[in-house]
Each structure stands twice: as C-alpha cells, then as structure tokens.
Amino acid sequence: MSRAAATVATDLVRAQARALKMPGLARSYESLARQAREEHWSHEEYLHEVLATEMTSRLDSAVRHRMHDARFPEVKTLDTFDFSAADGINASQVAELARGEWIGRAENVILAGPIGTGKTHLAIALGVEAVRQRRRVAFGRAADIVRMLVEARDQRELSRLHRRLQNVDLLICDELGFVPFDRSGGELLFNLLADRYERRSVLVTSNLAFAEWVKVFAGDEKLTTALLDRIAHHATVITTKGKSYRMRKRSIDEKPADSTPALSKVAKKS
Ligand code: ADP
Ligand code: MG
C-alpha cells in the first residue's frame, strides 16, 4: 500500500471506530498492525488481537462506570486493611466474601461493632471487590438512604427510586444506628430492605447489637423483628471488637509518650 493510501485507510478506520464506539480498537490498531507486520501474524491473528483490546477496554470502562455509580464516599481496599489490628475479623472469611459468591446467592453481610473498628472500611472494600467483578453496587449511609426515600415519597417518585435501588446487586447501608428514624422513615427503609430479601444482597454496618436495632426504628418491635428475620436469615455476621483503630494506632505510634495522662485517658474513653 502506498503511503497516501495508508493515510486514507487510517483516517477511515478512525472514523469507523468512532462511529462504532470502539475506543480500544482506535487506540490499538496501528501499533498492533506494526507488530503484526514485524511478527508475521495472519490477518485472523491481527483481528483477534485488535478485538481483544477493544473488549478489555470496554470491560475497564464498565468497571469505572460502576465504581462511579456506587458512590463510595472514598475508596478503601482490602490491601490497606490491617487484619492483625482488627479484633473479631477473620482474614480468610473476608477473603471468601471478597470473591463475591454471596452476592450471586443474594445473601447478606452484617458488620456490627464499636466505632472506628473498620466496619466502613471493610464495607467499602467488599463493595469495590464486587465492582471489580462488574457487579452493580450502591453505597449510602442509612440516614442518607432514608432521607432519599422520604424525599422520593414526597415527590411521588418512590417506585422509581425503588426500581433503581433494586437494580443493584449489592446495597450497602452504612451506619445503621447513628441516627434513629421516625416511624415513617423506618418503614420506608424496612420496605426497601425487605424487598431485597432472597433477591438481592444487602450489607449493613451498625454500631448497635441486634437487640438495640429497635431503637433505630422508633421502638417498633414488630417491624424490627421482621426486618432482622429477613436480613439475618442468609447472612454472614461479623462482629468487630476492641478500640478504635485510629486511637490504637495513635497510642502505638506514640508509645514513648504512653505515660502522658491525657493520651491514655482518651484511649480509655473510646
Ligand atoms: P467504623 O466504620 O467501624 O466506625 P472505619 O472503617 O471508618 O470504622 O475506620 C476508621 C478509620 O480507621 C478509617 O480511616 C479506616 O480506614 C481505618 N481503619 C480501621 N480499621 C483498620 C484496619 N484494621 N486496618 C487499616 N485501617 C483501618
Ligand atoms: Mg463507619
């Protein structure tokens, strides 16, 4: 092919790739063509390599979109989680959960324990793993989810919001228990979570023991029992223990200053 013909072909392929929405192909076809010429690939081999690049590019962009749609408050991953500093958390159990099969089975995870013991970190990290497996995830603090539900109800858009949230494979409801709901807020959250029962997964983190959940739901024993029945039915429950990670880390980092009364008092208080 003459140089001029090659330039025309390049322009045409670029335009075709744009029209067909194949950015991976557009990026890779020229360098792969050079490699193909040098290494004497068949036409079929070349086509295969170009399409493989396009596929990888599409999968990467799906993960990026799902990461964005999940609305994690920040990205936390398992490789930054220090299991040796995490009381009550079993590394191999978490590794098993990270494989995401429980999400395929529409099972649940409950992370319960005191503040600062890594519940949110783990919840996000498991969510990130699920996204990497190209599952749809939505993250929200319980109070924000309830606020969203209340607003949607007031605007008569509740069923639309339900549909959107029911579409995700994993709904992460963080910090259940920090803010109690009034009766109607509690009912809205109950309906959302109960709807997912045996269909889609939920991951709940809470600073409360199960017996205290009723406090969050305006003292409604019946509703709380019904919710717990459903959520805990097919659930892995992980109970974190001990002192706040940050407090503990601070007292380890400042070991020589351990005798400082103010610091040890702070650490004990948590
Ligand atoms: P919780 O949700 O239980 O209140 P967080 O997950 O928000 O606690 O943890 C508080 C902070 O400490 C976060 O910045 C988190 O990344 C960090 N953290 C907690 N536990 C660990 C751990 N075992 N390894 C690494 N970082 C941790
Ligand atoms: Mg938290």
Side-chain angles (χ1 to χ4, degrees), residues 74 76 80-83 85-86 113-122 174 178 205 240 245-246:
E74 54 193 325
K76 298 265 179 183
T80 60
F81 193 79
D82 179 2
F83 285 94
I115 292 166
T117 50
K119 301 182 301 294
T120 299
H121 187 137
L122 271 185
D174 194 31
F178 273 18
T205 84
T240 61
Y245 176 79
R246 282 199 187 118

Side-chain angles (χ1 to χ4, degrees), residues 58-129:
R58 284 188 190 192
L59 295 179
D60 289 351
S61 102
V63 167
R64 266 199 310 280
H65 276 121
R66 288 193 178 174
M67 202 68 155
H68 175 262
D69 291 346
R71 306 211 181 152
F72 296 118
E74 54 193 325
V75 174
K76 298 265 179 183
T77 50
L78 284 179
D79 50 342
T80 60
F81 193 79
D82 179 2
F83 285 94
S84 69
D87 248 359
I89 301 176
N90 175 318
S92 58
Q93 187 181 30
V94 172
E96 168 65 30
L97 291 174
R99 289 168 45 188
E101 283 155 16
W102 60 286
I103 302 173
R105 295 191 297 264
E107 294 174 2
N108 304 323
V109 167
I110 299 167
L111 291 166
I115 292 166
T117 50
K119 301 182 301 294
T120 299
H121 187 137
L122 271 185
I124 295 175
L126 289 174
V128 167
E129 289 303 317

Side-chain angles (χ1 to χ4, degrees), residues 21-60:
K21 295 192 172 51
M22 298 175 102
L25 180 143
R27 265 196 311 275
S28 67
Y29 83 95
E30 283 174 293
S31 61
L32 285 172
R34 267 194 302 277
Q35 198 180 347
R37 276 189 290 270
E38 280 160 19
E39 297 173 13
H40 308 289
W41 295 354
S42 68
H43 290 100
E44 289 80 1
E45 279 170 319
Y46 170 67
L47 184 60
H48 163 70
E49 287 300 328
V50 170
L51 292 178
T53 316
E54 174 59 30
M55 273 173 79
T56 309
S57 148
R58 284 188 190 192
L59 295 179
D60 289 351

Side-chain angles (χ1 to χ4, degrees), residues 25-254:
L25 180 143
R27 265 196 311 275
S28 67
Y29 83 95
E30 283 174 293
S31 61
L32 285 172
R34 267 194 302 277
Q35 198 180 347
R37 276 189 290 270
E38 280 160 19
E39 297 173 13
H40 308 289
W41 295 354
S42 68
H43 290 100
E44 289 80 1
E45 279 170 319
Y46 170 67
L47 184 60
H48 163 70
E49 287 300 328
V50 170
L51 292 178
T53 316
E54 174 59 30
M55 273 173 79
T56 309
S57 148
R58 284 188 190 192
L59 295 179
D60 289 351
S61 102
V63 167
R64 266 199 310 280
H65 276 121
R66 288 193 178 174
M67 202 68 155
H68 175 262
D69 291 346
R71 306 211 181 152
F72 296 118
E74 54 193 325
V75 174
K76 298 265 179 183
T77 50
L78 284 179
D79 50 342
T80 60
F81 193 79
D82 179 2
F83 285 94
S84 69
D87 248 359
I89 301 176
N90 175 318
S92 58
Q93 187 181 30
V94 172
E96 168 65 30
L97 291 174
R99 289 168 45 188
E101 283 155 16
W102 60 286
I103 302 173
R105 295 191 297 264
E107 294 174 2
N108 304 323
V109 167
I110 299 167
L111 291 166
I115 292 166
T117 50
K119 301 182 301 294
T120 299
H121 187 137
L122 271 185
I124 295 175
L126 289 174
V128 167
E129 289 303 317
V131 168
R132 287 178 180 160
Q133 293 147 11
R134 286 187 289 289
R135 299 183 199 271
R136 283 175 302 251
V137 178
F139 181 101
R141 286 185 305 186
D144 294 334
I145 295 175
V146 167
R147 194 170 35 74
M148 235 162 53
L149 289 166
V150 169
E151 281 170 14
R153 180 201 55 195
D154 294 348
Q155 292 162 10
R156 301 183 170 280
E157 289 185 343
L158 192 57
S159 45
R160 189 137 61 115
L161 179 63
H162 260 238
R163 265 200 309 279
R164 188 160 69 77
L165 287 177
Q166 297 310 23
N167 230 345
V168 303
D169 302 301
L170 172 63
L171 176 66
I172 302 178
C173 178
D174 194 31
E175 294 186 355
L176 185 87
F178 273 18
V179 187
F181 313 121
D182 62 16
R183 188 164 295 261
S184 77
E187 276 169 13
L188 286 167
L189 186 65
F190 170 85
N191 287 336
L192 178 75
L193 298 181
D195 251 19
R196 298 181 72 82
Y197 176 61
E198 292 190 330
R199 296 199 303 123
R200 300 273 195 206
S201 293
V202 179
L203 187 159
V204 179
T205 84
S206 180
N207 56 314
L208 301 178
F210 287 149
E212 299 172 307
W213 278 34
V214 63
K215 285 196 280 192
V216 183
F217 291 96
D220 191 331
E221 294 268 1
K222 227 163 120 187
L223 182 122
T224 312
T225 312
L227 180 65
L228 269 173
D229 257 9
R230 287 172 176 77
I231 292 190
H233 184 197
H234 308 284
T236 303
V237 181
I238 295 178
T239 313
T240 61
K241 300 184 192 78
K243 293 215 172 83
S244 148
Y245 176 79
R246 282 199 187 118
M247 292 288 193
R248 202 160 14 154
K249 209 162 160 350
R250 206 175 307 158
S251 59
I252 293 168
D253 291 348
E254 297 174 15

